[in-house]
C-alpha cells in the first residue's frame, strides 16, 4: 500500500514514477468503490477512502476529482451524520466503461459485454468449429466482438497486442465514442497457451493452433487491447475480485476438463503459463485412452460417464480428482462450471462435496459451489481487473 505524504498528496512524488503512482492510487480508490457497489452499498465517503487506502484526504480528493472528470466516479448523495456535516458519498459509475469477454469453446463461441461491475449487458452465442483454419476462427470472433461493442467501438484498424491501459488516461477509454467505451477484449481459449505472449500451444486434438499468435491477430483486427488466457483461468478470474477473495479452484466440465487456480486472491498461471492441466491427471492405471495420449485420465473417465448418462459417476470422478487438488493446495473453495455442470448443478455440487468430505485430511470443510459466472464473464474480468488494481 502506498501512503501519500502530508505535504502534497500523490502530486508530491517526483521523477519518472509519478504517472505509475497516480495510476496505482487511482486503482486503489476505484477498487474500493467497485467493492462497495458489488455489496449493494450507496457509496463511500472521501474520509473512508483515505483511511482504507492509507492516502491523505488531499490525495483522495485530487484522485476522485480526476476520476469524476473522466466519468468513472459520481456523487451518490449524503451519508448518515455522525455529529458533524453529513459526508458526501461517491460511487463507481458502472456504465462509464465496458469490457467484452469471448469464450472460444471447441464447438461454440459465447461473447458478452459487461459494465464496470461485471454485470452482463449484452450476450450472444453461435456455433464455432475450433478445428477450422485459425484465420477463419479469428474472423468469426472479431465479427461477434464488433457486434457486442456499443456504437461500433471495435474497428478493423491496427492495434498493438498489449493488455488494457490503467485507469488514468487510458487511451482505449479516451479514444472511444459514447459513455460506455470498451476498455478491451478478454479472450478465453482452450490451452495450453502462453498468457504472456498470446500464442497458443499444442491444444489437444487441434494441432493446427500450435504457435498461432491469437492475441496479436485479434488485436490487429479489432483495434482494441486484447488479453488472452486459458478458459479455465478466465473461469477462475470470474470467481472473485481482488486480494482478499481467498484461495479457490475453478473446475470446468464441458467439452474438456480443466482447472483454474485462484491463490491468495490472484489467478495463478505458473512460471510457464501451464498451471491447471487438471483433466490429465491419471486416476486409473491402464484405463481407457485419453486424447492426450495417456490412459485413465480424469477427463476421459468423467466425460465417458457423462456420455453414458451416468452423471453420479461423473461427479464422483470429478470429486476424486478435486480431492487430490485440494489436498495439494489446501484451498478454501471449489467452484464448478461449464455446460455439463450447468445441466445438472445439484448432482455435481453434491457429488464433489461428498467425495471431499470423505477424503478430508483435517482442517475445516471445503465449500463446494456452482461458479457465479461463466468463462466469457471471467474473460471480461481479465480486462477490468487492472483498472481496479488486480492482475
Amino acid at each position: 500500500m502506498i501512503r501519500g505524504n502530508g505535504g502534497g498528496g500523490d502530486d508530491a512524488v517526483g521523477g519518472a514514477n509519478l504517472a505509475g503512482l497516480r495510476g496505482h492510487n487511482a486503482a486503489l480508490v476505484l477498487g474500493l468503490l467497485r467493492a462497495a457497489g458489488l455489496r449493494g452499498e450507496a457509496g463511500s465517503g472521501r474520509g473512508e477512502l483515505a483511511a482504507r487506502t492509507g492516502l491523505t484526504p488531499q490525495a483522495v480528493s485530487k484522485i476522485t476529482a480526476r476520476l469524476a472528470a473522466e466519468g468513472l466516479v459520481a456523487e451518490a448523495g449524503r451519508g448518515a451524520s455522525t455529529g458533524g456535516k453529513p459526508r458526501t458519498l461517491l460511487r463507481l459509475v458502472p456504465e462509464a466503461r465496458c469490457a467484452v469477454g469471448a469464450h472460444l469453446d471447441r464447438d461454440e463461441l459465447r461473447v458478452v459485454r459487461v459494465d464496470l461491475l461485471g454485470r452482463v449487458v449484452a450476450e450472444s452465442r453461435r456455433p464455432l468449429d475450433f478445428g477450422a483454419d485459425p484465420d477463419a476462427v479469428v474472423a468469426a470472433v472479431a465479427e461477434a466482438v464488433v457486434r457486442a461493442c456499443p456504437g461500433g467501438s471495435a474497428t478493423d484498424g491496427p492495434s498493438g497486442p498489449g493488455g488494457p491501459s490503467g485507469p488514468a488516461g487510458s487511451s482505449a477509454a479516451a479514444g472511444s465514442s459514447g459513455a460506455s467505451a470498451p476498455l478491451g477484449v478478454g479472450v478465453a481459449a482452450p490451452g495450453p497457451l502462453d498468457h504472456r505472449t498470446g500464442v497458443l500451444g499444442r491444444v489437444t486434438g487441434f494441432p493446427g493452433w500450435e504457435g498461432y499468435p491469437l492475441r496479436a491477430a485479434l488485436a490487429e483486427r479489432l483495434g482494441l487491447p486484447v488479453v488472452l488466457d486459458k478458459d479455465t483461468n478466465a473461469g477462475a478470474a470470474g470467481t472473485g475480485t481482488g486480494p482478499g477473495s481467498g484461495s479457490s479452484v475453478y473446475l470446468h466440465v464441458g467439452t474438456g476438463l480443466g482447472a483454474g487456480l485462484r491463490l491468495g486472491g490472484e489467478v495463478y498461471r505458473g512460471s510457464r503459463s501451464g498451471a491447471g492441466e487438471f483433466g490429465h491427471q491419471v486416476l486409473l492405471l491402464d484405463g481407457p485412452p485419453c486424447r492426450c495420449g495417456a490412459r485413465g485420465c480424469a477427463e476421459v473417465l468423467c466425460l465417458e460417464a457423462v456420455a453414458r448418462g451416468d452423471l453420479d459417476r461423473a461427479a464422483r470422478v470429478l470429486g476424486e480428482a478435486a480431492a487430490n487438488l485440494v489436498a495439494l493446495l489446501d484451498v478454501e473453495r471449489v467452484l464448478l462450471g461449464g455446460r455439463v455442470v450447468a445441466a445438472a448443478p445439484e448432482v455435481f455440487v453434491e457429488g464433489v462435496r461428498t467425495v471431499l468430505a470423505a477424503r478430508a485430511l483435517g482442517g475445516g470443510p471445503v465449500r463446494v459451489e456452482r461458479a457465479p459466472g461463466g468463462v466469457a464473464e471471467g474473460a471480461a474480468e481479465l480486462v477490468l481487473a487492472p483498472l481496479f488494481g488486480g492482475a
Side-chain angles (χ1 to χ4, degrees):
M1 184 176 294
I2 296 178
R3 184 180 296 274
N5 63 42
D10 64 339
D11 284 339
V13 181
N17 291 327
L18 178 57
L21 178 61
R22 283 177 173 171
H24 173 81
N25 290 345
L28 291 178
V29 171
L30 283 172
L32 290 175
L33 293 177
R34 188 193 199 203
L38 290 170
R39 292 193 299 267
E41 298 173 4
S44 301
R46 290 177 178 84
E48 178 186 354
L49 294 172
R52 295 189 64 185
T53 60
L55 298 166
T56 65
Q58 297 93 330
V60 169
S61 292
K62 292 178 180 180
I63 290 168
T64 54
R66 286 202 305 270
L67 295 174
E70 295 174 11
L72 293 167
V73 169
E75 292 189 356
R78 301 280 184 175
S81 174
T82 57
K85 180 181 178 181
R87 59 198 174 108
T88 299
L89 299 179
L90 300 173
R91 66 176 180 89
L92 181 70
V93 181
E95 63 273 16
R97 302 287 188 274
C98 69
V100 177
H103 178 199
L104 283 63
D105 208 341
R106 291 167 173 84
D107 59 358
E108 182 184 71
L109 170 64
R110 181 169 177 261
V111 174
V112 299
R113 187 173 87 246
V114 304
D115 65 15
L116 291 181
L117 289 178
R119 300 177 303 198
V120 175
V121 295
E123 176 181 4
S124 69
R125 293 178 185 267
R126 60 179 290 179
L128 180 72
D129 180 6
F130 194 72
D133 176 69
D135 289 338
V137 173
V138 167
V141 174
E143 178 187 357
V145 169
V146 168
R147 290 179 179 273
C149 287
S153 299
T155 70
D156 290 329
S159 171
S165 303
S170 165
S171 59
S176 299
S177 61
S180 190
L183 293 168
V185 181
V187 178
L193 57 80
D194 193 325
H195 167 76
R196 302 160 298 180
T197 64
V199 175
L200 270 71
R202 186 174 297 179
V203 182
T204 304
F206 302 95
W209 282 97
E210 185 174 5
Y212 189 86
L214 178 57
R215 185 180 70 188
L218 279 170
E220 183 177 3
R221 290 289 296 260
L222 293 169
L224 287 172
V226 173
V227 178
L228 174 68
D229 214 332
K230 292 198 303 185
D231 46 13
T232 50
N233 287 343
T239 62
T241 56
S245 55
S247 297
S248 62
V249 296
Y250 167 78
L251 304 182
H252 187 87
V253 189
T255 55
L257 180 62
L261 310 177
R262 192 175 184 92
L263 305 179
E266 300 288 345
V267 176
Y268 179 76
R269 299 178 177 89
S271 60
R272 296 174 295 177
S273 270
E277 290 300 319
F278 166 81
H280 299 296
Q281 58 174 300
V282 174
L283 296 183
L284 180 63
L285 294 176
D286 302 320
C290 180
R291 57 185 173 181
C292 73
R295 302 182 71 91
C297 292
E299 179 175 294
V300 67
L301 296 174
C302 182
L303 295 186
E304 282 191 351
V306 171
R308 295 194 304 268
D310 190 350
L311 297 186
D312 289 331
R313 174 73 175 180
R316 181 182 172 192
V317 170
L318 184 62
E320 294 291 347
N324 293 339
L325 200 56
V326 168
L328 183 66
L329 298 176
D330 190 26
V331 296
E332 302 161 349
R333 291 193 303 163
V334 173
L335 297 128
L336 309 181
R339 68 177 71 170
V340 173
V341 171
E346 297 84 3
V347 173
F348 281 92
V349 168
E350 186 57 35
V352 171
R353 183 182 291 139
T354 298
V355 175
L356 291 183
R359 289 188 51 186
L361 298 176
V366 177
R367 289 157 51 198
V368 181
E369 305 163 359
R370 186 178 177 186
V375 170
E377 289 88 337
E381 182 63 30
L382 293 171
V383 174
L384 294 178
L387 186 70
F388 303 104

